[in-house]
Amino acid sequence: TREVLSDADMHIAKEAVRRMEQPLRLLVFGTDLKHAISLTNMMLGQRIMPPSLRQVHAQFGHGDMPRARVLYRDDRQEKLHGDALFGLFEDAPKRVRMTMYLPVLQKVALRLIADQDATKLAPEVAQIVNGSDIVIWAGGGCPPDLADVWAGVPGDLQNHSYLVVPPGTELSGWGDVPGKVMDFFEVDARRAEGAKTRKSGVDKLAFKESGGGQVVKAVKKEIEGLTQSANDACQVLLMRYADEVMPPPSAEAPQDADAGPLQLENPTLDKAKSQPVDEERAHRVRRQIYTIPLGKVATRSRGLLYQDLVKRQ
């Protein structure tokens, strides 16, 4: 396919495939560590990190067995698994990369970066935020260092970002941040965490009253929207390159005149081939798909992919 697709369309294809086949990248950051940690534990459905940490940089991905790679503050590295994972965060490691068999991690790869010192937190957020698909700013106020980082975040990514603060938070000190995110929620993260992680099962009433359900619902909606937009992008490429990707008739298996036309194995390609494709029509299709008023979900994906497409026009 590299010989068929242009560089721009190859980039679109790779990004679309990644979004459909791999978990989306969710970043949680903030200077209110107790709030950010409880929020992350809530989304994972397990109380993995204690609220007493003053700094945490952790990645959580899906895996068949619980494993972790740990970087300690003395630059010592260690690989852990099984029972050795218990109490992992009690030593306040510098960085942790952990895999667990949790349903949520099949949909999102979650990264938490939190530090009471905004001057230390801001450079780490700046390095990672643009590589994320969904972002949650987990309270802690709006210090100048983080405000500067957020000002440089593309608007398309801000359309997939959320401000999640404790109840009663005064937003007047947040500047224009609340207006640059998709939405903001007031969440009692400790109560949401307790309701979601208790051994007897989820306390649905407490979870709803805590506001945690709003965050979970928003993330699920983002997953559905971004995945659908990736599928839409693939449909555009299939329609555009239908003639080029169609396999030629095999010389070793000539078509029987009485057997009718050869049937494609891929129904999507079959549908695309049955429609006449030309440059003008392809351009109209692209505009139609990427300007459908789907609300605010999938805005970043549709916007970026459409920009890549029209650069060549």
Side-chain angles (χ1 to χ4, degrees), residues 45-68:
Q46 293 188 16
R47 186 174 280 110
I48 295 174
M49 296 168 289
S52 58
L53 298 173
R54 295 185 177 182
Q55 182 272 343
V56 59
H57 188 149
Q59 295 176 252
F60 301 96
H62 186 264
D64 294 334
M65 297 293 293
R67 302 178 183 277

Side-chain angles (χ1 to χ4, degrees), residues 16-17 19-20 225-238 268 289-290 301 305:
V17 170
R19 288 186 172 176
M20 290 190 293
L226 288 169
T227 303
Q228 181 59 51
S229 66
N231 182 68
D232 291 343
C234 288
Q235 294 296 327
V236 171
L237 294 178
L238 285 172
T268 304
I289 287 179
Y290 291 105
S301 180
L305 294 175

Side-chain angles (χ1 to χ4, degrees), residues 201-217:
V202 178
D203 185 337
K204 295 183 179 179
L205 179 60
F207 187 62
K208 180 179 180 181
E209 292 178 345
S210 71
Q214 299 179 88
V215 178
V216 172
K217 183 178 180 180

Side-chain angles (χ1 to χ4, degrees), residues 150-229:
W150 197 249
V153 172
D156 292 329
L157 178 55
Q158 291 176 358
N159 287 334
H160 297 276
S161 304
Y162 298 83
L163 177 59
V164 182
V165 298
T169 298
E170 178 58 56
L171 294 179
S172 60
W174 284 84
D176 59 355
V177 170
K180 288 188 174 182
V181 297
M182 171 77 81
D183 206 344
F184 72 90
F185 306 114
E186 288 190 343
V187 177
D188 184 342
R190 287 296 297 274
R191 187 181 183 191
E193 176 191 19
K196 189 76 177 292
T197 62
R198 68 176 190 168
K199 295 181 180 180
S200 58
V202 178
D203 185 337
K204 295 183 179 179
L205 179 60
F207 187 62
K208 180 179 180 181
E209 292 178 345
S210 71
Q214 299 179 88
V215 178
V216 172
K217 183 178 180 180
V219 171
K220 286 182 177 179
K221 193 173 182 180
E222 287 286 352
I223 293 171
E224 293 172 359
L226 288 169
T227 303
Q228 181 59 51
S229 66

Side-chain angles (χ1 to χ4, degrees), residues 17-27 43-44 60-63 100-111 132-134 216-228:
V17 170
R18 179 190 69 78
R19 288 186 172 176
M20 290 190 293
E21 294 185 349
Q22 299 179 18
L24 295 174
R25 298 167 295 194
L26 170 61
L27 170 65
M43 288 188 286
L44 292 173
F60 301 96
H62 186 264
M100 295 173 291
Y101 190 79
L102 295 177
V104 65
L105 295 177
Q106 293 180 303
K107 300 293 185 179
V108 293
L110 198 156
R111 174 175 282 187
S132 303
D133 297 302
I134 310 167
V216 172
K217 183 178 180 180
V219 171
K220 286 182 177 179
K221 193 173 182 180
E222 287 286 352
I223 293 171
E224 293 172 359
L226 288 169
T227 303
Q228 181 59 51

